[in-house]
Amino acid sequence: MSDATPILHMLSPQKHMSPFDVNMAADAGYKVIIPYINVTLEEVTPLVQDAIFSRPPDYGVRTGFFIGGKDAILALDMMEAARKALVPPFQLSVFADPAGSFTTAAAMVACVERVLRFKFGRGWKGTRIAVFGATGVVGFASSIITALEGAQVRLVAHRGVERVIKSAAVSKERFGVDLEAVAGETEDQKRQIIEDAEVIFAAAAAGVQVISKEQKAFAKNLLVAADVNAVPPPGVEGMELFMNGEPLPDCNALGVGPLAIGDIKYKTESGLFKQMLASDEALSLDFRHAFALARQLVA
Ligand SMILES: NC(=O)c1ccc[n+]([C@@H]2O[C@H](COP(=O)([O-])OP(=O)(O)OC[C@H]3O[C@@H](n4cnc5c(N)ncnc54)[C@H](OP(=O)(O)O)[C@@H]3O)[C@@H](O)[C@H]2O)c1
């Protein structure tokens, strides 16, 4: 194993690099951490090449790039640009987790999968999922992870279906998955979506309730509802922060709450940093790797 000092270059297209991610990287073991802000896609190649050529190739596995921000597609594009910028044998590892969304989505999907398996004896194949907050980064990543596992995923639009249609098209083009965009703006539309769903992901903005007690009463097919929102009121009325497969009040489904998900999210993000630190080869980590680790963590 290389004894080179572990260095992490943390890139954000936004005005700030997330303090949460900086702390996670330090606690995982990075000794030198440098944040870069307002980074554009075009700047990734020169930054990566500047980093690789300053260290001997075998030190490259101790050089990491982290990509944050708030835009999943841009983060994936930056990751791809970083990979393409490498000039073998010069190397480094890259990990993308914009707004913590890849590890949060991975954790939510892994927690719900555990409940589906142990309480209902089933997996994702053919499971009907409704994603609220589908245009957000957590909604986006959780839709793709579950669609890749064979679920039938509906992206629910709360204001204009065009934006979720666009999101579904991007997911098809990039990952080959078929996501269904549905309008969920009126009470009737929402009622039909909730009636049909076997799993609900509540991934809307903090403090936004997307499913009320009255709407839960329509959830005749619902097995599990998961909620990532920890800011009151809950995304799903009656959800408790630490629920992890317990009955959700006022319906027949089970609940998975934000702090049960948050615990696995935290361990997943930390675990991916540690994988980069321990690996003898350069890694490239996105929501698929996050899901693989989150699955192990909940098992
Ligand atoms: N538990 C954890 O460990 C953890 C970790 C990270 C994040 N989170 C939580 O995860 C959630 C999603 O985060 P994110 O970063 O993906 O957020 P985001 O990118 O800002 O997306 C928020 C989503 O909520 C939708 N939305 C906003 N207002 C709404 C409303 N009134 N009704 C229905 N949908 C609405 C937005 O739709 P439009 O854009 O169309 O308005 C968007 O799809 C947040 O609650 C965040 O706090 C939890």
Side-chain angles (χ1 to χ4, degrees):
M1 192 161 120
S2 170
D3 57 2
T5 302
I7 300 176
L8 188 67
H9 301 276
M10 303 187 79
L11 275 48
S12 172
Q14 293 185 299
K15 191 175 153 196
H16 301 290
M17 168 51 66
S18 152
F20 183 103
D21 295 328
V22 173
N23 292 352
M24 294 287 301
D27 290 345
Y30 277 98
K31 299 291 179 223
V32 178
I33 296 173
I34 309 96
Y36 303 76
I37 56 167
N38 296 319
V39 178
T40 64
L41 179 57
E42 295 68 33
E43 289 167 332
V44 172
T45 299
L47 283 169
V48 166
Q49 291 180 347
D50 206 41
I52 51 173
F53 291 129
S54 57
R55 304 187 102 184
D58 63 320
Y59 273 37
V61 290
R62 293 293 158 271
T63 314
F65 266 62
F66 176 85
I67 298 170
K70 184 78 186 129
D71 181 331
I73 296 297
L74 178 57
L76 292 168
D77 285 346
M78 285 183 151
M79 202 172 165
E80 180 65 8
R83 273 194 331 103
K84 284 189 176 150
L86 300 179
V87 183
F90 295 94
Q91 56 182 337
L92 50 73
S93 289
V94 190
F95 170 23
D97 195 16
S101 62
F102 290 180
T103 47
T104 302
M108 174 167 68
V109 175
C111 288
V112 174
E113 180 179 73
R114 182 183 147 276
V115 177
L116 281 176
R117 179 152 301 136
F118 289 114
K119 300 282 173 73
F120 300 102
R122 58 186 284 178
W124 291 114
K125 209 153 193 57
T127 296
R128 299 191 304 278
I129 305 175
V131 182
F132 292 84
T135 51
V137 275
V138 174
F140 175 82
S142 52
S143 307
I144 297 167
I145 293 170
T146 46
L148 287 170
E149 292 297 314
Q152 293 175 33
V153 184
R154 290 180 129 185
L155 309 180
V156 183
H158 79 104
R159 57 175 178 106
V161 77
E162 299 73 22
R163 290 170 60 246
V164 283
I165 289 175
K166 197 171 148 212
S167 191
V170 170
S171 303
K172 176 74 178 171
E173 186 194 322
R174 295 223 171 202
F175 305 102
V177 292
D178 290 302
L179 308 178
E180 187 188 354
V182 289
E185 290 159 68
T186 66
E187 268 308 307
D188 266 2
Q189 289 168 339
K190 249 179 130 170
R191 179 184 177 139
Q192 281 176 29
I193 292 163
I194 293 166
E195 264 175 6
D196 183 62
E198 293 171 309
V199 168
I200 285 177
F201 291 157
V208 172
Q209 187 154 100
V210 282
I211 311 280
S212 67
K213 178 179 170 185
E214 293 70 31
Q215 288 166 332
K216 262 190 304 184
F218 307 140
K220 303 287 181 237
N221 292 297
L222 190 62
L223 304 172
V224 187
D227 187 355
V228 281
N229 165 36
V231 179
V236 177
E237 191 169 354
M239 183 70 75
E240 284 172 24
L241 294 174
F242 287 100
M243 263 185 180
N244 202 357
E246 288 82 24
L248 192 61
D250 309 308
C251 67
N252 294 322
L254 305 178
V256 175
L259 296 189
I261 295 166
D263 177 55
I264 297 299
K265 177 253 160 20
Y266 168 87
K267 290 174 179 157
T268 302
E269 183 171 347
S270 178
L272 291 181
F273 278 130
K274 285 177 181 158
Q275 281 182 14
M276 289 210 293
L277 283 160
S279 177
D280 283 331
E281 54 188 47
L283 303 178
S284 192
L285 306 172
D286 65 21
F287 56 81
R288 289 162 284 204
H289 308 85
F291 180 50
L293 179 56
R295 252 182 171 166
Q296 290 173 25
L297 289 166
V298 299

